[in-house]
Amino acid sequence: MNFAHLRDVGLHLRITFNPPDRRRRDLDNMLASIKPHLDGISDVIGVDDSMWGLTLVRGEVVKGGAVKVEVVDRAGTTMTGAA
């Protein structure tokens, strides 16, 4: 997949955190826990993460926990991945 156009149109990440249990968690700590993964996305698509918009969502409890990252370019194209 070619991501070169993202440097020009910009992008927005929608990150949904699905915790493994009902314990309280801060969204800022959850975001910090995936920083290496966000850096990896930045490296792959070639867009500096300082240029991203972010939406953080606290999702439902999922056995084992999960993080869903949706990358949306400003033109409206969505690319989704989960970990």
Side-chain angles (χ1 to χ4, degrees), residues 2-71:
N2 185 350
F3 300 107
H5 72 287
L6 294 176
R7 285 183 218 105
D8 299 326
V9 299
L11 64 113
H12 185 90
L13 269 63
R14 180 179 173 166
I15 305 168
T16 303
F17 295 95
N18 298 96
D21 55 46
R22 298 206 178 276
R23 285 184 284 173
R24 291 179 59 153
R25 291 172 171 81
D26 295 331
L27 278 176
D28 58 337
N29 289 334
M30 288 190 279
L31 178 61
S33 72
I34 65 165
K35 181 172 180 357
H37 305 283
L38 297 178
D39 290 342
I41 293 169
S42 178
D43 288 344
V44 167
I45 63 177
V47 178
D48 187 319
D49 59 5
S50 68
M51 306 300 289
W52 296 357
L54 295 175
T55 299
L56 305 178
V57 178
R58 188 185 317 268
E60 298 297 319
V61 171
V62 173
K63 185 176 181 179
V67 177
K68 179 180 178 183
V69 178
E70 296 173 276
V71 179

